[in-house]
Amino acid sequence: MSDSGKEITIYDIAEKLKVSAATVSRALKDHPRVNKNTKKKIIKAAEEMGYRSNSFASNLRRKNSNIIGVIVPRLNSSFMSDVIAGIEKVVNDNNYNLIISQSLETMKKEISNARAMLNNRVDGLLVSLAYDTTSIEHFEPFIKRNIPVLFFDRIFEHEQYPQIYIDNFKAAYEVTKHLLEQGCKRIVHITGNQLRNVYAERLRGYKKALEEHQIDFDGQLVIINDLSAKEAAVAAETILQMDPLPDGIFTVNDVSAVSCIQVLKKAGIKIPEQIAVAGFNNDPAACVIEPNLTTVNYKGYEMGEVAANMLINHLANRQDLQQTHSLILRSELIVRESSKRK
Amino acid sequence: MSDSGKEITIYDIAEKLKVSAATVSRALKDHPRVNKNTKKKIIKAAEEMGYRSNSFASNLRRKNSNIIGVIVPRLNSSFMSDVIAGIEKVVNDNNYNLIISQSLETMKKEISNARAMLNNRVDGLLVSLAYDTTSIEHFEPFIKRNIPVLFFDRIFEHEQYPQIYIDNFKAAYEVTKHLLEQGCKRIVHITGNQLRNVYAERLRGYKKALEEHQIDFDGQLVIINDLSAKEAAVAAETILQMDPLPDGIFTVNDVSAVSCIQVLKKAGIKIPEQIAVAGFNNDPAACVIEPNLTTVNYKGYEMGEVAANMLINHLANRQDLQQTHSLILRSELIVRESSKRK
DNA sequence: TAAATTTATGCAATCGATTGCATAAATTTT
DNA sequence: AAAATTTATGCAATCGATTGCATAAATTTA
């Protein structure tokens, strides 16, 4: 009680109860080949003595860790924190533990995070790629060791890696189509690094919709930045200088859309009458900005749950990951005031 | 390469290089008592053979894990995801790993999370308490084992546990004082479980400001709920029924304030003319809602960094946690349109 | 009651890295 | 050249839980 140095082990319990450590070990994990009374006594003693199993010893011996690793670009975005919350829920319910690290959008850090995950012998890895990741070599050691790596949202098309995402092409197509149907002719598209599937696909969808409406694609109308509020404000200033002014804006995240709307409104532009705006993600702010933001709903929490479930089912041999190589989640266009022109 | 079953160990390297495992172990951690050339050879071989250190074996032997545990109520709030991001940054920079779990606001889950953290032999624990946690017995095993537990934000006043928070009393006092100075006489206070210091202290601050302005405290004006947007909307409806209508609202989080404003605006109430509103946290939405929300800025990212730094410095014996038992971070009132009546 | 079966327990090796102590080899000092 | 010192390496125990195999004890079957 007063002492802090001594950790209770199964040997201590064994000694006290005059049984072997093997029996203690079995009793504590409810092995059938242990007498009920013995079991009861052991569990009681363990409780009383304040025994806590040492996962290192256990993991070392069993050669698995019950740890799921997660590498994401950033933890503090509305979407990503929802994803993480969903993952944590599932992981915890299944008696796994969660190790989390963020790449801060750089490949360099992503690589070092991956190394750490390997050292920690994660049983499986969930990854959403950094902004500038150009290759996924750093995940090969996992494959080599048969440790499943699952990409979500920001994926990398590759046979070996199962993936979960939404149909970004279709979602962006629908957003753009909607804007066109509202009468927009010149739609600015604000997007991110085209290395990332999510942004490349959305640009494809944007183009496709234009094409179908016989509108020529104009590269001048595509703005690529880091998708921060700050850069979006800069983009909005650029937009204000355009002549003629565009009549629609489609940004690939809500943070940018909100930031744009604020700048445009301040400049006296009427949304949606002069410029209709649509975002992506359905962040909480989408329902706060005035006019409320048209966006794509795309629930992070669910994506997290699904990703974690897939991984854990696979680890428990309940499901083969190769069978379901790609899982595409539902997303939906939510039309709000920022784009409704009637 | 084709095989996945064999993990390289220091013994494999030792055998290949005809040295002992001890030498390999020392070489890999750059122990001075190893010949430079030997060291170089070993490191090279390790690299080539794809050696990855097994942290379980290492942790088991060294009796520390280099893991920091975090238990928070929820991961997906703007504030908490900022905190976690700050923690992750510091933890990662110091070559520690991060295990995260969420109590989902229940003491029951918090207890089970704490047990898991103990099994995982975290070197230190960062905790923000659940909504309904009434005792902190479940953290005693850590203290007994000399594992530092540090509370942040939602703390529990106790000698053994260092804590980091903001001066909630003062912040709330200032918010309330500001509202009073804008001419408010009847200020509704929407808050959470009074078990939690953050909410109890803010209520104290609210009362103090009233007292100083010779306004009697009216229990009818204090609404306690779970601080969700939904409950805030319900609260707003209640407020609309009040007769006379209050002329100010001070909520302990921005989510509630924003939700209230939306309901009140829809009911035709003019903000801030009829009812001035102030929140707490400075969520992104605070600058999006119209009118912009007066609130308390209180940066999560910084709190996360500071908490993690304190813990790690203590673990590295660079700092004694008992010395700095309480650390109070700066917060500031940000006055915006939602409360400015001139 | 002996034989066969079932149930309960223990032995001892194993997982992979670390480290105190001993010793061998190389270098310096006398 | 012998003695003393420094440098480099190895031996072997250790961390704590797990588990295949063996064996003892209890129970059932013949």
Side-chain angles (χ1 to χ4, degrees), chain A residues 13 65 90 92 105 124 159 163 165 250 269 273 297 320 329:
Chain A
I13 301 178
S65 64
V90 171
N92 208 296
E105 299 284 14
E159 233 199 292
Q163 42 196 226
Y165 53 96
F250 167 31
I269 304 287
E273 293 78 6
N297 188 35
D320 189 358
L329 296 183

Side-chain angles (χ1 to χ4, degrees), chain B residues 54 63 71 74 99 108 159 200 216 236 253 255 281 286:
Chain B
N54 184 322
K63 284 170 171 294
I71 302 178
R74 303 208 101 85
I99 291 196
K108 190 158 167 262
E159 234 200 291
D216 286 339
N253 70 0
V255 168
N281 280 8

